[in-house]
Amino acid sequence: MITPKLFILPLFAAVVTMILLPIVRRLSQKVGAMALPNERKQHGFAVPQSGGVAIFFGFLIAILFFNRTSPEVLGFLLGGTVITGIGLLDDIFDLPPITKFFGQILAALIVIYSGVRIEFVGNPADGGLINLGFLSLPFTFIWIVGVANAINFLDGLDGLAAGVSGISAWTLGMVALLSGRYDAAVLAFTIGAAAFAFLPTNFSQNCNRKMFMGDAGSNFLGYSLAVVSIMGMVKVAAAFSMLLPMLVLAIPIFDTGFAIVRRLLSGKSPFEPDSAHLHHRIMHKGFSHKQTAFIIYGVNIILGVIAILSTHMTNPQAVTTFAITAGILFAIAWRLGLIDIKKKAKS
């Protein structure tokens, strides 16, 4: 059922986010949540890096008018508060990875306890469903923490994580709406609107305006995309329901998957940064930062359209479409050199 809230709440979230950004920027400077220039960060001046706080509160304030206080929604908001808070502390104090991981674990456990779970996955062999049973909890946990980290890994270029998150959220919202999951659709559209509202500030080269979203933003957006994908798609009893969010989020999932494999095969920690992510490889082809971001946006939109169209396909057609798309993405990633194995030099 389409109601005015489907349009009003996303618009409200975008407006609140834009209003809060200058306030959050000043507070970031006061508390020391700043990204300083270095060999991996090419901006020429210190940039406040807690813009994700404005995204979170823009979304939160809008959802307070949602008037659907189900346990799942409350758990989602509480988990989002936890993961944003830990991310903000990391933006200020540069916490060790294990502390950030603990925040992701806690947020995931909170929302799982509220009832957000992946209970079924499709069986490609016969188009039926597999009841995960007791595996539902670890499967859901891995999905939420995995997507949160995937968006975090993707946040290495102006506008990239926010733009991909916004496009993915609105795609998830469309599929949820087509599946009759109105609550999840409103949440997804509102998240996407808040993310899009951050883009002008993130793309700006004005030292008095520019902001990064920081771990507070990337972790919150990744966590939110994982949760709304479960609420809007995975709980629909269809054999390809789990494939849809994987298709929508294919860019961060593939980029993170290749990064982990690349680093492990090179004898490095999977959390050790490198310069072989998708956006790095595209820029090596001669594209600018903004051009690279828009190329990835375009691919993300294409994947979103395929996901939406797949809701009108039979189970075999949807599974085949997913397999073909995954194969094409794998070939492109391989061609770009996303698995460029370089052995770590021995000291």
Side-chain angles (χ1 to χ4, degrees):
M1 179 180 64
I2 298 178
T3 70
K5 286 187 179 181
L6 198 60
F7 306 97
I8 294 173
L9 294 188
L11 179 60
F12 187 58
V15 172
V16 172
T17 299
M18 288 187 287
I19 292 173
L20 290 177
L21 279 168
I23 300 172
V24 171
R25 191 180 193 282
R26 288 192 293 271
L27 291 175
S28 297
Q29 294 171 322
K30 288 185 178 180
V31 302
M34 304 291 291
L36 303 177
N38 58 40
E39 65 279 1
R40 297 194 71 250
K41 299 176 180 178
Q42 300 302 313
H43 51 281
F45 49 88
V47 179
Q49 60 173 356
S50 59
V53 174
I55 296 174
F56 167 72
F57 276 107
F59 167 76
L60 178 64
I61 293 172
I63 293 303
L64 291 178
F65 295 93
F66 188 36
N67 296 332
R68 292 179 183 268
T69 54
S70 68
E72 290 182 346
V73 173
L74 291 176
F76 173 37
L77 297 178
L78 181 57
T81 302
V82 169
I83 203 167
T84 304
I86 296 293
L88 176 60
L89 291 176
D90 180 52
D91 292 335
I92 299 172
F93 301 109
D94 195 17
L95 302 176
I98 188 63
T99 305
K100 294 185 286 185
F101 189 54
F102 172 76
Q104 294 172 346
I105 292 173
L106 182 56
L109 291 177
I110 289 172
V111 76
I112 289 172
Y113 180 77
S114 74
V116 177
R117 298 172 188 173
I118 301 171
E119 298 174 347
F120 300 92
V121 293
N123 184 353
D126 59 11
L129 291 171
I130 300 174
N131 191 328
L132 291 175
F134 71 93
L135 293 176
S136 172
L137 297 182
F139 205 94
T140 306
F141 174 82
I142 292 170
W143 174 252
I144 294 174
V145 173
V147 175
N149 277 291
I151 298 298
N152 187 253
F153 276 35
L154 194 68
D155 188 24
L157 192 68
D158 287 350
L160 185 55
V164 168
S165 295
I167 293 168
S168 299
W170 279 13
T171 303
L172 292 170
M174 283 297 299
V175 176
L177 201 59
L178 292 172
S179 304
R181 305 287 297 184
Y182 170 77
D183 289 5
V186 173
L187 293 172
F189 285 128
T190 306
I191 292 164
F196 285 137
F198 174 70
L199 282 177
T201 299
N202 196 200
F203 273 127
S204 175
Q205 297 305 310
N206 185 334
C207 63
N208 295 316
R209 187 187 181 198
K210 187 176 186 65
M211 285 190 75
F212 297 147
M213 70 165 62
D215 274 10
S218 60
N219 277 284
F220 169 68
L221 288 175
Y223 159 85
S224 299
L225 291 172
V227 173
V228 297
S229 70
I230 297 172
M231 296 174 68
M233 284 191 247
V234 177
K235 302 191 85 172
V236 177
F240 57 87
S241 58
M242 190 62 211
L243 299 182
L244 284 173
M246 293 179 68
L247 184 59
V248 174
L249 298 168
I251 288 178
I253 289 173
F254 265 71
D255 190 45
T256 301
F258 277 112
I260 292 173
V261 171
R262 180 176 65 246
R263 293 166 188 175
L264 290 176
L265 292 179
S266 300
K268 302 177 181 179
S269 164
F271 297 102
E272 184 176 339
D274 60 25
S275 297
H277 282 282
L278 175 61
H279 57 276
H280 292 127
R281 308 311 282 180
I282 294 176
M283 285 192 293
H284 288 167
K285 300 295 182 181
F287 294 97
S288 69
H289 286 208
K290 186 171 288 189
Q291 287 172 334
T292 299
F294 277 91
I295 289 171
I296 296 175
Y297 291 171
V299 176
N300 201 22
I301 290 171
I302 292 172
L303 293 172
V305 171
I306 294 173
I308 293 170
L309 292 176
S310 69
T311 61
H312 300 287
M313 299 178 186
T314 63
N315 288 340
Q317 289 173 336
V319 172
T320 300
T321 300
F322 174 83
I324 293 173
T325 304
I328 293 172
L329 290 175
F330 186 91
I332 293 173
W334 186 273
R335 179 68 178 171
L336 286 173
L338 289 183
I339 298 188
D340 184 13
I341 302 169
K342 296 179 180 177
K343 292 294 184 181
K344 189 174 183 180
K346 296 183 179 180
S347 55

